[in-house]
Amino acid sequence: WVMKENLMKVIIVGAGIVGLTSAWYLHKAGYHVTLLEKESAATMREKSESGLFSIPHTQPFNRPGIFTKFWQGFAASAPAFKIRADFSIHQTRWGIEALKQSSAENYAQNRFRLFNLAKLSRGALYEILAEHEITFAHQQSGALQICENEAALSAAATQKALLKQHEIEATLLTPEEVVEHEPALKSATKPIAGGLLFNNEEIGDSQQLCAALTKILQEFGVEFIYNCEVERILTEESSGQIRAVTSGEYFYQADQYLFTTGAKSPTLFKEPFPLPIYPVKGYRLIYPISPSLETLRSALVDPEQNITLTRLKDLLYVSGYHGIEGFNATQNPREITPLKEMVRAWLPHIETQEPL
């Protein structure tokens, strides 16, 4: 660990994994770093998030044909995708741009960019883990992409060839090899035409990683201010440069500002138009796993439904469903139906359990 002395102050808004990692690198470079986080310290510690650390499955949301799926969803009783149009300027501008970027040419270019970003992110994770003894739930168990029909299998073969160009190895499996690799699928009720196996994919609890990284940064003297929701950005009229951020009656100033606020960034940057960032609603179910039940060895991925099943210790995480509904966080029982159906189809012996 080599830290250079630097008098420049940096404020990072958001103490999630991106904010924490940025703070780690900036502190290492000698900057004086302060993180502003809207949640309480206790809330940040108590969360539990299982994630699939995947490069090959890092892809733009608006892949070719995705919007057709949304419109088809209107006729379904429990669609896996849904659009709720509010006809706001923000949603309309984002929708037009997202539609433009869903062409085959733009999708390929954006996917290439995301591959490089994912490789950079994984490299950053490995660098941090090499520097510190961090204990968190983490395993390299691979990911298995299931193909239900010949069309999906053909697309997987094309995907395999594309990924090889980016030095990402994958193996095409026959139906028998899929079940041999993942015995938990022997009772699956959905057809299996084959699969695409990625041996190097990893599963981990990102919140445990965040908690460990927070502790390391606090020991280094990085300042954390919790319960601090940034509400306004004050700028210089002439230059447009940020001069302060505010939270309630408090003002926070620095030489540089980094915002890691994700989908909520447009609520801060409103002028002259919101940023072209829009939230996508998703759900996650958590099933308790009995040691006697045969469950997944690898993460299970359904690229058509955008649903992922991952097991971490004694819990099975089922993530998916995409809805473009603005910041509507209302939970609708119908919207988790595709996730439950996926568990019922692939792991019927698990679906008898009630999700947490």
Side-chain angles (χ1 to χ4, degrees):
W1 174 278
V2 178
M3 192 183 85
K4 302 174 183 177
E5 201 55 43
N6 191 316
L7 298 179
M8 186 173 287
K9 293 183 178 181
V10 179
I11 282 178
I12 299 176
V13 181
I17 187 63
V18 176
L20 293 171
T21 304
S22 301
W24 188 84
Y25 277 100
L26 287 169
H27 176 77
K28 186 175 181 179
Y31 291 87
H32 296 266
V33 181
T34 298
L35 289 106
L36 308 181
E37 171 54 49
K38 69 174 184 176
E39 303 286 358
S40 68
T43 300
M44 297 298 286
R45 286 194 301 267
E46 291 168 2
K47 290 181 178 178
S48 177
E49 300 282 351
S50 170
L52 174 62
F53 303 161
S54 174
I55 292 178
H57 292 104
T58 302
Q59 57 184 340
F61 171 73
N62 52 328
R63 65 181 185 271
I66 188 66
F67 288 97
T68 301
K69 285 184 174 291
F70 277 117
W71 297 121
Q72 290 172 344
F74 283 117
S77 59
F81 306 94
K82 187 173 75 173
I83 294 178
R84 178 177 293 170
D86 60 16
F87 304 104
S88 64
I89 294 176
H90 183 195
Q91 187 188 67
T92 302
R93 291 180 70 248
W94 176 86
I96 292 172
E97 187 59 32
L99 189 60
K100 288 180 183 176
Q101 294 299 320
S102 66
S103 69
E105 181 180 356
N106 287 335
Y107 173 80
Q109 183 181 55
N110 292 331
R111 189 174 191 185
F112 175 73
R113 291 168 176 165
L114 287 180
F115 278 161
N116 288 334
L117 179 60
K119 289 179 180 178
L120 180 66
S121 298
R122 178 173 283 183
L125 171 64
Y126 289 168
E127 184 176 349
I128 292 172
L129 294 180
E131 295 253 9
H132 307 282
E133 291 186 8
I134 295 179
T135 301
F136 70 109
H138 173 234
Q139 60 196 44
Q140 186 175 29
S141 54
L144 179 59
Q145 181 175 313
I146 298 296
C147 304
E148 296 182 27
N149 50 52
E150 291 301 320
L153 192 59
S154 176
T158 302
Q159 180 185 2
K160 179 179 183 294
L162 171 66
L163 293 173
K164 191 171 181 61
Q165 297 175 18
H166 299 281
E167 300 178 343
I168 299 173
E169 295 296 329
T171 305
L172 275 173
L173 303 181
T174 65
E176 294 75 22
E177 289 171 332
V178 167
V179 176
E180 181 181 355
H181 173 80
E182 195 59 80
L185 292 174
K186 64 176 179 282
S187 58
T189 59
K190 293 187 86 172
I192 298 177
L196 193 58
L197 177 63
F198 303 89
N199 283 314
N200 295 324
E201 302 314 285
E202 302 171 56
I203 302 169
D205 189 318
S206 58
Q207 200 56 39
Q208 287 182 5
L209 176 61
C210 285
L213 195 49
T214 296
K215 184 178 179 181
I216 289 169
L217 290 170
Q218 288 174 331
E219 290 173 352
F220 287 159
V222 172
E223 183 180 12
F224 285 75
I225 302 178
Y226 291 101
N227 299 304
C228 180
E229 183 171 7
V230 172
E231 298 160 345
R232 294 178 59 204
I233 299 173
L234 305 181
T235 59
E236 299 288 352
E237 290 187 12
S238 57
S239 64
Q241 288 187 326
I242 298 175
R243 59 184 176 88
V245 295
T246 71
S247 176
E249 60 184 12
Y250 296 98
F251 288 68
Y252 300 92
Q253 292 183 304
D255 299 298
Q256 298 289 337
Y257 301 82
L258 176 61
F259 295 84
T260 63
T261 43
K264 292 195 174 180
S265 299
T267 62
L268 294 173
F269 297 87
K270 297 178 181 178
E271 302 294 341
F273 293 105
L275 294 174
I277 299 172
Y278 204 77
V280 176
K281 184 178 179 180
Y283 283 93
R284 184 189 63 178
L285 301 179
I286 305 176
Y287 289 88
I289 301 299
S290 167
S292 62
L293 289 175
E294 189 169 40
T295 53
L296 297 176
R297 294 166 46 195
S298 304
L300 196 63
V301 180
D302 184 327
E304 290 301 310
Q305 295 289 320
N306 283 303
I307 295 177
T308 302
L309 285 71
T310 57
R311 180 188 179 179
L312 200 56
K313 293 190 174 180
D314 58 351
L315 295 175
L316 177 71
Y317 295 83
V318 186
S319 305
Y321 176 83
H322 292 116
I324 298 179
E325 309 177 43
F327 289 97
N328 173 28
T330 304
Q331 296 186 23
N332 184 338
R334 288 181 59 227
E335 293 173 347
I336 65 173
T337 298
L339 279 69
K340 286 190 169 184
E341 289 180 345
M342 184 65 65
V343 176
R344 186 180 301 118
W346 294 124
L347 306 170
H349 57 297
I350 299 297
E351 207 275 331
T352 57
Q353 306 277 64
E354 280 298 316
L356 299 176

